[in-house]
Amino acid sequence: MIATRLTEMFGLRHPIVLGPMGGVSGGALAATVSNAGGLGMVGGGYGDAAWLQAELARVETATRAPWGVGLITWSAGADIVELALSHRPHAFMLSFGDPRPHAAIIKRAGCKLICQVQDLAGARQAQEAGADLIVAQGTEGGGHGGRRATFPLVPAVVDAVAPTPVLAAGGIADGRGLAAALMLGAQGVLIGTRFYASAEALGHARAKQHIADACGDETARTRVFDVVRGYDWPGSYTGRALRNGFMQRWSGQEAALAAAVETERPAFHAAARDGDFETAMVWAGEAVDLIDAVEGAGALVARIGTEAEALLRDAARWTK
């Protein structure tokens, strides 16, 4: 068993946290990860109250282990934060924006505050806000993120915010990534794309299979999917997705896409509904190289954890 400040904080068997991917990390996936000894997180995304209510009720019913919820900070209003807290999560993750407006109410509720950051300034701001855990997210990760790479960012954040514990995210999909993150000073990892390609994840079966079939060279960071959906993301964040025809057509033409959105948006939403991923996006990180099948999330947690344990035990052979 790997013992870290993360595992001690929540009583976990493995120092693994499910990335709260909006529309993907629902209650069933979060409960499965928690039941397997990690920390499951429901991805509240932009704050759809009806969806969030249903998925939080689902995780409450399906596990007695610790679990949490995550929201996109710049989109989260006080009402949706209160809704999430009413379900009494053990952890609350804020990503992409200043956490300070919501930090106090989260901590008053007795909930551990997790803040995901993409640079050192964000890490210091999260520490100022009272974060119990800080996730250093590298640009290799799927979905929205920043510009810094995981390997140099994680130890820099560890040094900058000590003694606040840090988790690593971005490009991690197996036990090797977990073991490496621990050597960088992280207390655990947050994993997204690997759990997207799991049986319990929400989302279209074709999207999951695309992840299993893809390689990291087929991913790219872009703004086009935010433009067509009408989400006004701050300029410092782009989204990493699998390359497709829509991305190829509109990359570098975002202004033209915005001008054509009245016709492009209905077609885009129809494609997402129908599983047409030459138009709709599949958010995915560079770690798709390490994913070759859609598997059960509980088995993934166990395998990643035990792989890391074996690697760390074997590491002594490198020293004399």
Side-chain angles (χ1 to χ4, degrees):
M1 181 174 176
I2 299 173
T4 71
R5 292 174 67 187
L6 169 65
T7 62
E8 292 167 0
M9 188 177 293
F10 295 103
L12 307 180
R13 172 67 178 82
H14 304 288
I16 297 169
V17 180
L18 168 65
M21 299 169 283
V24 172
S25 299
L29 177 55
T32 301
V33 169
S34 288
N35 289 338
L39 181 65
M41 302 283 288
V42 173
Y46 300 96
D48 182 316
W51 185 93
L52 192 57
Q53 187 87 277
E55 296 304 325
L56 293 179
R58 188 165 286 118
V59 69
E60 282 184 291
T61 301
T63 184
R64 294 184 181 277
W67 60 273
V69 61
L71 291 172
I72 295 170
T73 312
W74 63 262
S75 181
D79 54 344
I80 204 71
V81 173
E82 291 277 13
L83 170 63
L85 288 172
S86 73
H87 289 266
R88 294 175 296 178
H90 301 81
F92 203 122
M93 182 167 153
L94 296 174
S95 307
F96 313 118
D98 185 351
R100 291 173 294 186
H102 302 303
I105 188 172
I106 290 170
K107 292 180 73 68
R108 279 200 302 270
C111 193
K112 297 295 185 184
L113 174 62
I114 305 175
C115 295
Q116 181 171 255
V117 304
Q118 296 74 36
D119 54 33
L120 293 181
R124 294 187 179 103
Q125 185 181 72
Q127 186 178 49
E128 179 185 337
D132 297 287
L133 285 165
I134 295 174
V135 179
Q137 181 202 29
T139 193
E140 299 93 326
H144 288 87
R147 300 180 181 90
R148 295 287 305 272
T150 304
F151 210 83
L153 177 63
V154 170
V157 171
V158 168
D159 292 347
V161 302
T164 304
V166 173
L167 307 181
I172 299 167
D174 61 13
R176 292 173 293 181
L178 171 54
L182 296 174
M183 291 300 97
L184 293 174
Q187 299 297 306
V189 294
L190 182 137
I191 298 177
T193 303
R194 173 61 274 195
F195 286 116
Y196 192 164
S198 71
E200 296 85 357
L202 299 176
H204 204 287
R206 288 180 197 159
K208 299 179 187 183
Q209 193 58 48
H210 276 310
I211 291 171
D213 293 340
C215 71
D217 294 337
E218 296 168 350
T219 73
R221 303 206 73 88
T222 183
R223 300 186 190 281
V224 298
F225 299 119
D226 294 330
V227 173
V228 73
R229 295 181 302 158
Y231 291 128
D232 189 18
W233 273 81
S236 57
Y237 305 114
T238 55
R240 185 177 294 280
L242 297 180
R243 297 178 189 270
N244 65 6
F246 189 90
M247 188 192 297
Q248 183 176 353
R249 177 185 175 194
W250 292 109
S251 288
Q253 303 294 324
E254 288 81 2
L257 175 58
V261 77
E262 287 189 12
T263 55
E264 292 295 331
R265 184 172 296 162
F268 179 88
H269 287 308
R273 183 184 63 245
D274 297 340
D276 170 12
F277 294 109
E278 267 302 295
T279 298
M281 76 283 178
V282 178
W283 299 123
E286 292 183 6
V288 291
D289 289 302
L290 311 178
I291 302 168
D292 57 16
V294 178
E295 303 180 60
L300 289 172
V301 172
R303 186 170 76 233
I304 293 168
T306 55
E307 281 177 355
E309 289 178 34
L311 288 166
L312 292 170
R313 289 194 190 98
D314 196 43
R317 70 186 176 90
W318 297 102
T319 63
K320 298 294 185 181

